Amino acid sequence: MPRKYSKKQRESAKARAKAEADRRELEAIHQRPCPNCGAQNTALILYGLPSFDDALNQSLAKGWIVLGGCDLIPGAPKFECNACQYAWGD
């Protein structure tokens, strides 16, 4: 007979799966070459007022994410090179 999981267990499993997918996406972005210097040390620029949790703090420390400020401006760059600080869109 299949095991039944509680709603809390299912939500926890979904949250872990989402966190893992987000981590993999940030790792892939980090390997993108910079169009200015060619370094594979790219960060996603996060705009707005983020909620600082352990995952965000770890991503900031690893250089996977940089903070772009509170203003959400159309056409703002999405990526920044950690080596030369060049910022660009997609």
Side-chain angles (χ1 to χ4, degrees), residues 45-52 56 66-74 76-77:
I45 302 174
L46 181 63
Y47 295 97
L49 189 58
S51 174
F52 288 91
L56 178 59
V66 295
L67 300 178
C70 293
D71 294 332
L72 302 173
I73 301 168

Side-chain angles (χ1 to χ4, degrees), residues 1-2 7 9 16 18 22-23 29 32 34 41-42 44 46-49 51 55 58 64:
M1 184 157 125
K7 183 178 179 181
Q9 288 172 320
R16 283 193 306 275
K18 182 182 180 328
D22 291 346
R23 184 192 62 77
I29 289 170
R32 292 180 88 159
C34 172
N41 191 2
T42 300
L44 178 69
L46 181 63
Y47 295 97
L49 189 58
S51 174
Q58 289 175 2
W64 293 352

Side-chain angles (χ1 to χ4, degrees), residues 4-36:
K4 293 187 177 183
Y5 294 97
S6 70
K7 183 178 179 181
K8 188 175 181 178
Q9 288 172 320
R10 288 190 307 270
E11 288 173 356
S12 178
K14 284 182 184 179
R16 283 193 306 275
K18 182 182 180 328
E20 179 62 21
D22 291 346
R23 184 192 62 77
R24 276 188 252 127
E25 181 181 0
L26 289 173
E27 282 182 351
I29 289 170
H30 191 64
Q31 296 301 314
R32 292 180 88 159
C34 172
N36 187 51

Side-chain angles (χ1 to χ4, degrees), residues 33-40 81 83-86:
C34 172
N36 187 51
C37 72
Q40 289 182 307
C81 177
C84 71
Q85 281 68 50
Y86 179 73

